[in-house]
Amino acid sequence: MINKELLKERMNDNLNINDIKEVLGISEVSVYRLNKEGKLLPNFKWKGKNYWKGTNVFEFCIELGIIDKEVTEVVNG
């Protein structure tokens, strides 16, 4: 289950694999599978770890229909 509140809080931060797992409610293997499929690519790698921008994860959730537009308007407006 997706943690919308945490995603809203961390939207302007860089998220590591543990943050992504907590926000999306999926396993590490699933995150890397999405990465390999080109659906959720990390923005940069630092010290051997992948990091994603919170806004990119948010957009990914909107594209999949996990988050509806009301949540988007609350965050952006």
Side-chain angles (χ1 to χ4, degrees):
M1 174 143 236
I2 189 164
N3 188 342
K4 294 177 187 176
E5 296 301 318
L6 180 63
L7 183 56
K8 284 188 232 178
E9 290 174 13
R10 305 283 313 271
M11 187 137 123
N12 295 321
D13 297 340
N14 293 314
L15 307 174
N16 63 23
I17 187 73
N18 293 325
D19 297 330
I20 298 288
K21 288 177 6 183
E22 187 175 348
V23 166
L24 297 180
I26 59 178
S27 69
E28 187 172 335
V29 172
S30 295
V31 174
Y32 283 116
R33 187 183 67 236
L34 290 170
N35 179 17
K36 186 174 181 181
E37 292 172 356
K39 295 180 180 177
L40 187 61
L41 298 173
N43 293 90
F44 64 94
K45 191 171 213 164
W46 188 59
K47 292 190 176 183
K49 295 183 180 181
N50 292 320
Y51 290 89
W52 292 260
K53 288 185 180 176
T55 53
N56 290 354
V57 176
F58 192 76
E59 291 170 6
F60 170 76
C61 292
I62 292 171
E63 288 175 12
L64 289 181
I66 297 171
I67 296 178
D68 50 356
K69 294 196 177 203
E70 292 89 30
V71 175
T72 308
E73 292 169 2
V74 168
V75 172
N76 292 333

